[in-house]
Amino acid sequence: MARMAWTEKRIERMHAEGYGAGSGSDYKPWIAVQDISSQGRSHRVWSPKTQRVHHFLSDVEYKLFLTCEWEQNVIDLREQFPLDRTLTQEIAGELRIAHPTYVGTRVMTVMTVDLLLTLRVHGEKRLLALNAKRDEEAEDAHSLGKLEIQRRYFAKLNIPHHLVYHLQLPGQKVRNLEWIRGAQLKPEEPEPYPGFFQSLCSRMANELAAASNSLLATPLASYAEQFDARHGLEVGTGLRVARMLMEQRVLMPDLAAPNLANSSLDTFVVTGSLGTLRAIGG
């Protein structure tokens, strides 16, 4: 299916329909995966923190999102956040460079920042703007011109703005976060009965909080297999429950570890009280 051409009427309509507006579960990104071609792989990602699907146009955007979402002082993440065109055009004029236009048109682009984070710092909310790029884009004059417009844009708004290149992202941490996130209960995913996984999470949290020194020397995967056998569960359920506990911050992992499943239990920290699960973002 052909993508809709960018026109002033389309931009006006999108603003009216709330694209690029809202927060949390109500936010609608200015650009969705289906709207544009990307040089990397695109990703649609459900977030338990924001309770919505996020749209990322490249691997580097997606990996940056994973590292930011994990941080507990990050309380909201808005991707493909649109900038005010009046201000970006003013800045382009100051820089004496051409403002970006949509391909094949003279329509001024609504520029977007890859991620706009809302942070909670000492009880106050603060904003942080992030752009994610591959290292080779540092040599591209067109890309650098757009980034300079964005840098000055956020400076005028007193919002910190950082450029993150893909080689700066912690590769092992990202891989571990992907593995942890893969266990979360998906929206509308059926359970054997309501609260099935929550019950197992409470049971495992209690067991781990009371674990003996000998049990703590056991690799996580081995413990999970024993958990399955003791409770008559399908093979692999226990390891998924452990990953859920990591997502919920009850079982805190060393995200630099090369293989969390093979890590011994004593390398994890149990943070929740017995039977009490700590929600992500808390």
Side-chain angles (χ1 to χ4, degrees):
M1 181 181 296
R3 295 179 176 85
M4 186 182 301
W6 286 97
T7 64
E8 291 294 343
K9 287 185 177 180
R10 179 186 177 186
I11 292 170
E12 182 179 346
R13 185 179 69 252
M14 288 179 65
H15 278 303
E17 293 176 356
Y19 287 91
S23 61
S25 61
D26 296 325
Y27 176 70
K28 297 169 69 173
W30 183 258
I31 303 171
V33 165
Q34 65 270 20
D35 293 332
I36 194 168
S37 298
S38 61
Q39 294 180 350
R41 292 184 303 157
S42 59
H43 300 264
R44 293 181 178 88
V45 186
W46 167 261
S47 171
K49 179 171 283 190
T50 62
Q51 292 292 298
R52 68 175 178 86
V53 174
H54 290 255
H55 292 248
F56 301 104
L57 309 182
S58 69
D59 286 339
V60 65
E61 289 180 17
Y62 164 65
K63 291 175 180 179
L64 177 60
F65 164 77
L66 291 182
T67 61
C68 294
E69 185 200 35
W70 179 256
E71 300 303 321
Q72 290 186 281
N73 70 329
V74 175
I75 60 176
D76 196 12
L77 306 94
R78 287 175 284 179
E79 76 279 16
Q80 321 306 336
F81 187 84
L83 311 187
D84 183 278
R85 280 196 304 174
T86 300
L87 185 51
T88 59
Q89 290 180 74
E90 175 186 313
I91 294 169
E94 293 172 357
L95 293 170
R96 297 184 179 181
I97 61 175
H99 189 282
T101 57
Y102 291 109
V103 176
T105 76
R106 295 183 179 178
V107 178
M108 296 291 181
T109 302
V110 177
M111 299 181 68
T112 59
V113 69
D114 294 332
L115 273 178
L116 183 65
L117 307 181
T118 303
L119 313 176
R120 185 187 291 120
V121 181
H122 303 304
E124 297 182 354
K125 290 183 179 180
R126 298 181 185 177
L127 296 176
L128 172 64
L130 299 174
N131 277 110
K133 301 295 179 186
R134 294 194 60 83
D135 286 44
E136 54 267 26
E137 292 181 86
E139 305 299 325
D140 180 75
H142 180 64
S143 178
L144 289 176
K146 291 192 294 184
L147 288 170
E148 180 59 18
I149 292 174
Q150 293 208 18
R151 187 189 70 78
R152 294 202 182 194
Y153 180 96
F154 287 107
K156 286 176 181 287
L157 299 179
N158 293 315
I159 297 173
H161 172 258
H162 298 293
L163 178 60
V164 181
Y165 287 107
H166 78 285
L167 290 180
Q168 295 175 305
L169 294 171
Q172 187 59 54
K173 179 178 180 178
V174 169
R175 288 187 288 273
N176 283 330
L177 290 175
E178 286 185 300
W179 184 70
I180 293 169
R181 292 184 93 264
Q184 61 182 275
L185 198 63
K186 307 299 187 297
E188 310 302 327
E189 180 182 348
E191 296 183 79
Y193 58 82
F196 172 76
F197 280 106
Q198 182 74 7
S199 174
L200 292 177
C201 283
S202 295
R203 189 176 301 176
M204 183 178 286
N206 286 335
E207 286 189 8
L208 292 174
S212 63
N213 289 335
S214 59
L215 180 60
L216 290 176
T218 304
L220 175 64
S222 298
Y223 164 75
E225 290 176 4
Q226 297 167 17
F227 186 87
D228 290 339
R230 283 197 307 276
H231 300 294
L233 301 171
E234 182 179 347
V235 173
T237 302
L239 192 56
R240 182 177 184 184
V241 171
R243 291 154 66 196
M244 287 179 168
L245 289 179
M246 294 179 212
E247 181 81 29
Q248 296 172 16
R249 301 300 200 282
V250 174
L251 185 63
M252 289 296 291
D254 174 6
L255 291 174
N259 190 321
L260 289 177
N262 288 340
S263 298
S264 60
L265 291 175
D266 59 10
T267 64
F268 296 85
V269 176
V270 180
T271 64
S273 58
L274 296 182
T276 302
L277 302 185
R278 187 172 299 173
I280 185 169

